[in-house]
Amino acid sequence: MSILYDTHMHTSFSPDSTAELSDQVEKARSIGLNGICITDHMDYDFPVDQCPGHDTNPFIFDVKKYFDSIKIISKNMSDFEVLTGIEIGLQTDPVVIEKNKKLIAENSFDEVIGSIHLIDKKDPYYPTFWEEQNNKSIIKKYFEITLDNLKAFSDINILGHLDYATRYMPNINDYDPKEYLEITDAIMIFLIKHDIALEINTSGLKKGYGLTNPHPELIKRYYELGGRLITIGSDAHAQDAIAYGFDTIRDELISYGFKEYAVFNSRSPILNPL
């Protein structure tokens, strides 16, 4: 395996993961990785009605404890790198933007992933979201929201799982990336101009959706538009998902023309050969 860093990973600091930090680290080491970036969720003002079983927003955690935990586990580890990242939820709400600005300004993250998890304050993760709605109009709106968010707040290193919403479509065959090229091209051109990496997220392969996010056609299109800055992350919420599909995606990326992937350290990209 030539992809030796997994740059998107969750632990029990995220409410949708029960994986302990130490277990994620040990698993990553055991399969031959050189390092990982922990990127737990900080999704400010996430609607509580989209969090079954919770009375308050669970996508908030103690940042000091987070840094301290990673520092402790890294202290005597010279042969493996544990980088400190964050996955922030992007919303155009000025209150959320200010919270995200403050979070980033006050903490020395190695990597900041910006992701969109909501469409009109609803999470497409839930099957009820798709009831009595047109799949294609939902996907178009998701891309429009993505571009609006990037224009409103671009102090991120990576755009996480572009076309995330398609993971949960009732019929993935309804999704043809070519139908959205006008808006997806605009997103990718924005990323290229602002030196924001496009994440190649392999979570969909592990979860049985059969596709990366973004869709392979969009990855190829990014390369055609001149995009070269990519990161590769499993979005692992459990040990068995770490680096899942990396061998497969490596071959695909090389076939598209990519030669390198980035790992961010102190928010600067370090390029590694595929």
Side-chain angles (χ1 to χ4, degrees), residues 107-212:
N107 296 281
S108 300
F109 295 108
D110 287 304
E111 165 188 305
V112 178
I113 300 175
S115 297
I116 293 90
H117 297 114
L118 296 169
I119 302 173
D120 294 336
K121 296 289 186 179
K122 300 292 184 182
D123 191 340
Y125 171 81
Y126 298 106
T128 53
F129 173 87
W130 299 89
E131 293 175 359
E132 298 181 5
Q133 296 195 63
N134 180 276
N135 289 354
K136 293 183 179 181
S137 64
I138 289 171
I139 299 308
K140 185 173 185 288
K141 177 173 275 191
Y142 183 83
F143 287 135
E144 291 170 344
I145 290 169
T146 298
L147 185 58
D148 288 344
N149 271 282
L150 288 169
K151 289 179 177 178
F153 181 74
S154 59
D155 188 17
I156 60 174
N157 301 113
I158 302 162
L159 177 64
H161 47 54
L162 178 62
D163 72 10
Y164 159 86
T166 64
R167 286 184 191 171
Y168 310 111
M169 289 176 66
N171 184 0
I172 191 62
N173 293 325
D174 283 350
Y175 177 44
D176 179 359
K178 293 185 177 68
E179 296 182 15
Y180 309 94
L181 284 183
E182 183 176 354
I183 184 68
T184 56
D185 277 7
I187 291 168
M188 292 178 186
I189 289 167
F190 186 97
L191 297 181
I192 293 165
K193 286 183 176 178
H194 291 80
D195 296 321
I196 298 170
L198 177 71
E199 178 185 62
I200 313 303
N201 186 300
T202 64
S203 176
L205 302 178
K206 172 62 179 173
K207 293 178 179 178
Y209 304 120
L211 294 168
T212 54

Side-chain angles (χ1 to χ4, degrees), residues 7-53:
T7 58
H8 188 158
M9 188 176 303
H10 296 274
T11 73
S12 56
F13 279 94
S14 293
D16 52 358
S17 172
T18 58
E20 294 302 321
L21 173 60
S22 59
D23 292 336
Q24 295 291 69
V25 170
E26 287 309 312
K27 177 63 175 182
R29 293 179 75 187
S30 73
I31 62 175
L33 295 185
N34 287 349
I36 56 176
C37 188
I38 305 298
T39 53
D40 279 305
H41 289 292
M42 189 69 87
D43 230 311
Y44 290 117
D45 293 13
F46 199 92
V48 177
D49 65 3
Q50 298 298 291
C51 307

Side-chain angles (χ1 to χ4, degrees), residues 6 202-203 205-207 234 240-247 249:
D6 190 334
T202 64
S203 176
L205 302 178
K206 172 62 179 173
K207 293 178 179 178
S234 67
D240 64 348
I242 296 171
Y244 190 90
F246 277 23
D247 285 338
I249 195 60

